[in-house]
Amino acid sequence: MRLKNKTAIVTGSSQGIGRAIALRFAGEGANVVINYNRNPQGAEEALREIEAAGGSGLIVQADLGKLADIKKLIAAAIEHFGRVDILVNNAGLETHAPFWEVSEEDYDKVLNVNLKGVFSTTQEFVRHLMLDNNHGRKGKVVNISSVHEELPFPNFSAYCASKGGLKMLTRNLAVELGSMGININNIAPGAVETPINSKLLNDPMKLGALLNQIPLGRLGQPADVSGLAVFLSSDDADYVTGATYYVDGGLTWNYQEQ
Ligand code: BGC
């Protein structure tokens, strides 16, 4: 049990990578705050699985694009579990359009959750740890970024801008928060089979072309990401901060946009 006696918030954990992380964390002994925006059923299922395995969880609805919701999420977690040790900023979205057709609404939607949401949620988490500082508490932040914090992804300009921003935010906070015992790292998944890319998964031509670019020859599964999230949230990663870890089957070094 690598996360025993820890409490973790996993944003966007009603489905996909977030849900796999929530379940895996519970298996490692953590109390888990499951957050969803529009999928209460997925959140309920995740909680049932956690409880069936003897774990403890709490569901909180919050739209990470709204500061008031973020404050509500952190406050609910503290009220229920007394404290929070780990924050996984997983919630994210993407929209597809050529650059010249991206609407202001879509740009705001993507940036508000993927970048401003991570900024503000981390800020609230850090403020919580600071208040409790005399107990010598350490904190771990894990951001679910993307290979597109580094690689261009035509027709996803707002998404790439958000993930590129997340890369720098992590580096900056590693420096700014290090002396407080707070570690922050990014996980950069490649093509993982989750609802975020359901369009791609249902397009055999595009999927085939993408698979040809993945040296390990398959899409990732959410469980391929969750083990690394455990490591980065555990004491084993006490000397790791400001880094990005790729979980992409080798895609980054073999990527050509079609
Ligand atoms: C995106 C997916 C995409 C993958 C690989 C992810 O960040 O969410 O839509 O398939 O990167 O390009």
Side-chain angles (χ1 to χ4, degrees):
M1 294 262 196
R2 296 162 80 185
L3 304 178
K4 213 169 161 34
N5 299 324
K6 307 272 189 208
T7 294
I9 297 177
V10 185
T11 68
S13 45
S14 58
Q15 59 191 35
I17 292 172
R19 181 156 155 185
I21 292 174
L23 297 180
R24 185 73 196 270
F25 274 24
E28 296 287 347
N31 301 315
V32 183
V33 179
I34 300 160
N35 155 251
Y36 75 95
N37 181 22
R38 278 180 307 225
N39 181 6
Q41 201 191 325
E44 290 290 346
E45 286 165 10
L47 180 62
R48 273 201 297 275
E49 277 189 62
I50 285 173
E51 288 179 343
S56 169
L58 170 75
I59 297 176
V60 184
Q61 191 280 334
D63 176 351
L64 277 297
K66 296 183 180 146
L67 185 56
D69 279 24
I70 289 170
K71 286 179 187 273
K72 180 184 84 176
L73 170 64
I74 303 279
I78 297 167
E79 195 190 318
H80 192 82
F81 289 116
R83 56 187 249 189
V84 183
D85 309 277
I86 299 161
L87 170 65
V88 180
N89 289 306
N90 165 79
L93 61 125
E94 63 188 33
T95 57
H96 177 276
F99 171 67
W100 51 94
E101 284 175 15
V102 177
S103 65
E104 183 183 10
E105 193 193 351
D106 273 1
Y107 175 90
D108 285 345
K109 206 162 73 180
V110 172
L111 270 290
N112 277 347
V113 173
N114 295 15
L115 187 55
K116 188 177 169 197
V118 174
F119 188 103
S120 305
T121 312
T122 306
Q123 201 174 41
E124 289 300 312
F125 175 58
V126 168
R127 287 173 180 160
H128 161 61
L129 290 178
M130 287 173 80
L131 278 181
D132 211 31
N133 232 358
N134 47 356
H135 297 138
R137 296 239 332 269
K138 295 184 291 191
K140 295 277 193 312
V141 181
V142 178
N143 298 320
I144 305 305
S145 176
S146 163
V147 291
H148 299 297
E149 69 166 45
E150 198 61 49
L151 287 175
F153 192 13
N155 300 307
F156 291 88
S157 49
Y159 183 72
C160 284
S162 73
K163 297 300 184 180
L166 191 51
K167 177 173 77 176
M168 275 314 297
L169 179 64
T170 292
R171 292 177 182 183
N172 214 67
L173 295 188
V175 176
E176 211 171 325
L177 305 178
S179 62
M180 293 160 63
I182 300 174
N183 301 44
I184 177 164
N185 293 288
N186 281 10
I187 295 179
V192 180
E193 221 175 309
T194 70
I196 203 175
N197 47 30
S198 49
K199 276 205 186 112
L200 167 83
L201 298 173
N202 291 316
D203 183 332
M205 289 274 283
K206 277 196 179 151
L207 185 58
L210 178 63
L211 281 171
N212 277 334
Q213 293 180 50
I214 302 177
L216 291 182
R218 66 169 177 89
L219 292 175
Q221 295 300 319
D224 289 317
V225 181
S226 54
L228 178 57
V230 170
F231 164 70
L232 289 173
S233 302
S234 75
D235 294 348
D236 286 338
D238 276 355
Y239 200 59
V240 180
T241 196
T244 292
Y245 285 74
Y246 290 82
V247 182
D248 67 351
L251 172 72
T252 301
W253 306 123
N254 200 34
Y255 183 79
Q256 310 136 40
E257 190 56 39
Q258 301 298 311

